[in-house]
Amino acid sequence: MGYSGAVSSEDSSGERVRRGAITKTGNAHLRRIVMEAAWSYRHRPAVSRALRQRQEVVSEEVKEIAWKAPHRLHTRYRKLTARGKNKGQVITAIGRELLGFIWAIGVKVEGAQKEPLPRAA
């Protein structure tokens, strides 16, 4: 999240802590793409035929994380908009959480790639 600049700014002095808008000091291209993707979580999650075919080569762990993301993000979008939050703020919150899911998938895939291959006897 920090790499994309989607972290809140902070103004602290003594015991007082004030959080502000996102810093936007990170990678603007990544932040823009993720925030654009966050708009899709307005809609109910579903698995299309094309998505099912793309997921055939993916491990079950990654599929589980990837399936949990749309449900959680869609629910969060509905709850935040029901509370009357500004849509821009809602999308920013969804985008930040989406970055967390992307990071989790990256960690799983990277860990799987670092495991040594079994040696032939």
Side-chain angles (χ1 to χ4, degrees):
M1 291 177 214
Y3 179 75
S4 71
V7 293
S8 61
S9 61
E10 184 177 312
D11 180 26
S12 303
S13 177
E15 297 198 17
R16 177 187 57 109
V17 177
R18 291 184 182 163
R19 302 224 187 266
I22 63 171
T23 61
K24 299 183 183 176
T25 57
N27 186 322
H29 183 67
L30 173 64
R31 189 173 53 252
R32 179 180 170 271
I33 296 299
V34 170
M35 296 307 164
E36 288 290 330
W39 281 103
S40 68
Y41 294 104
R42 294 176 297 170
H43 309 292
R44 225 169 14 107
V47 178
S48 66
R49 183 181 308 144
L51 179 58
R52 202 172 297 119
Q53 288 175 345
R54 285 195 311 260
Q55 286 183 341
E56 288 176 357
V57 296
V58 178
S59 72
E60 289 300 319
E61 274 184 325
V62 172
K63 279 189 222 179
E64 186 177 316
I65 295 169
W67 185 235
K68 190 184 338 176
H71 286 287
R72 181 173 168 162
L73 296 176
H74 173 68
T75 303
R76 183 143 190 231
Y77 178 87
R78 284 186 314 146
K79 285 181 180 179
L80 290 173
T81 53
R83 284 182 18 201
K85 290 288 186 185
N86 177 344
K87 285 199 179 189
Q89 289 177 336
V90 172
I91 293 303
T92 301
I94 300 300
R96 279 178 44 91
E97 199 158 342
L98 177 59
L99 283 166
F101 278 110
I102 293 169
W103 178 81
I105 289 172
V107 167
K108 290 283 184 196
V109 170
E110 188 177 74
Q113 288 176 349
K114 287 184 177 179
E115 290 178 6
L117 296 174
R119 296 182 186 252

